[in-house]
Amino acid sequence: GSEGVSAIASSCKDLRRVNLRWRSNVEDRGILSLICGCFSLSHLDLSRCERITNIALEAISNANCLESLILEGCKMVSDVGIHFLARGKTSSSLKTLDLCECFRITDEGIGFLPQMVSLQDLCLAKCGSSITDRGVIALASMKSLQRLNLSWLSKVSDLSILAIQADCNDIKELVLSGCDLVTGLSLQGFARVQAITLSSCRNILREDVEAIVSSCHILEYLGLDKDLRRYIPLSCLKNMESKCTIEWL
């Protein structure tokens, strides 16, 4: 629990990586002790620590060496916590931020993320219907962004993808599994994208897949719904597989 985390923080001042995944007894006070005691902390995994709240994020925002923060399933975290991260020292240090299943985050919280000037890898998967095109379009101003996971965001459409394509010049990987409003029209012509995942996307058709592979010239990986495979002629499939790795999901 938090007492154990505090004890570790007081005796191991040079810790750089801390993984507290699934530690259900860890609370905000333990994280406060960790941040105050470990000044070299660069990676912190709090996945499924469901007692963690925005209070912990306020403390974490003062960690000036923190590069990676995993908050998957931290269901008490909200827009307030994202605001703390975006205005604190983490605004310039964080490179990876995982907010998967943080369903209290809305477009308002997403609007703070462009203040994080070093962020390269962002996961918003399964954050719920409070994240829409309005929030994701705001992310398009993030010039540092390289990997973006928007899986299972039911209100994200082509508008978001087109904005990212237009402005995120360094985007290398897009994960869009379960984004039913996304079509193939918005995915053609990504100049630098190397990997796209489109499993469980109902509006991605065979013709779309062929067009994506043809137009995304440096594409290395394409993750597709396995049910789509039977609709693609063998000759087309072989042609696509000669250009990139296809995984059936």
Side-chain angles (χ1 to χ4, degrees):
S2 293
E3 292 79 8
V5 175
S6 298
I8 291 171
S10 63
S11 59
C12 303
K13 301 288 187 181
D14 294 327
L15 276 178
R16 292 184 56 81
R17 299 179 63 87
V18 174
N19 187 340
L20 298 172
R21 193 177 186 91
W22 289 102
R23 302 303 196 275
S24 58
N25 291 329
V26 172
E27 299 173 322
D28 293 335
R29 56 195 173 95
I31 303 306
L32 267 65
S33 299
L34 188 67
I35 299 302
C36 292
C38 302
F39 299 110
S40 300
L41 193 65
S42 63
H43 173 85
L44 179 58
D45 188 344
L46 299 176
S47 301
R48 308 293 171 185
C49 295
E50 295 187 355
R51 296 189 183 187
I52 294 300
T53 74
N54 296 322
I55 294 173
L57 266 62
E58 184 174 18
I60 290 170
S61 71
N62 292 311
N64 59 2
C65 292
L66 194 65
E67 295 184 356
S68 176
L69 178 60
I70 314 299
L71 297 170
E72 178 184 349
C74 291
K75 298 178 180 180
M76 300 295 287
V77 168
S78 71
D79 295 340
V80 174
I82 304 306
H83 193 200
F84 286 140
L85 295 177
R87 73 182 188 187
K89 294 176 181 177
T90 43
S91 67
S92 58
S93 68
L94 267 187
K95 295 180 179 179
T96 297
L97 179 60
D98 189 339
L99 299 171
C100 179
E101 293 185 41
C102 294
F103 59 79
R104 295 193 183 197
I105 295 173
T106 71
D107 285 340
E108 183 179 354
I110 299 306
F112 298 130
L113 291 175
Q115 298 176 44
M116 308 182 79
V117 295
S118 298
L119 200 63
Q120 298 176 2
D121 190 342
L122 174 63
C123 179
L124 299 172
K126 302 180 183 177
C127 279
S129 59
S130 293
I131 295 180
T132 71
D133 285 327
R134 184 170 71 89
V136 177
I137 287 171
L139 299 177
S141 64
M142 300 179 68
K143 303 303 181 185
S144 61
L145 205 58
Q146 296 182 13
R147 289 171 292 279
L148 180 61
N149 188 334
L150 302 174
S151 296
W152 303 102
L153 296 182
S154 62
K155 293 189 176 180
V156 170
S157 75
D158 286 342
L159 292 175
S160 292
I161 308 308
L162 288 169
I164 291 165
Q165 182 180 147
D167 294 328
C168 291
N169 295 327
D170 288 333
I171 199 80
K172 292 180 173 61
E173 180 176 357
L174 273 175
V175 183
L176 301 170
S177 299
C179 292
D180 285 340
L181 297 182
V182 172
T183 73
L185 293 175
S186 64
L187 289 164
Q188 299 174 30
F190 268 96
R192 294 182 177 86
V193 74
Q194 296 173 1
I196 304 176
T197 302
L198 298 168
S199 57
S200 300
C201 291
R202 295 180 185 177
N203 283 310
I204 299 296
L205 308 176
R206 165 206 153 183
E207 311 88 79
D208 298 323
V209 174
E210 294 176 28
I212 290 167
V213 173
S214 176
S215 63
C216 300
H217 300 298
I218 64 170
L219 192 68
E220 297 176 0
Y221 170 88
L222 186 60
L224 297 173
D225 197 289
K226 59 180 180 291
D227 290 338
L228 194 60
R229 185 172 191 171
R230 57 183 170 174
Y231 298 107
I232 302 177
L234 186 59
S235 58
C236 292
L237 185 59
K238 287 184 177 179
N239 180 54
M240 290 190 295
E241 288 177 334
S242 70
K243 297 179 179 179
C244 68
T245 297
I246 297 179
E247 183 176 11
W248 302 98
L249 304 167

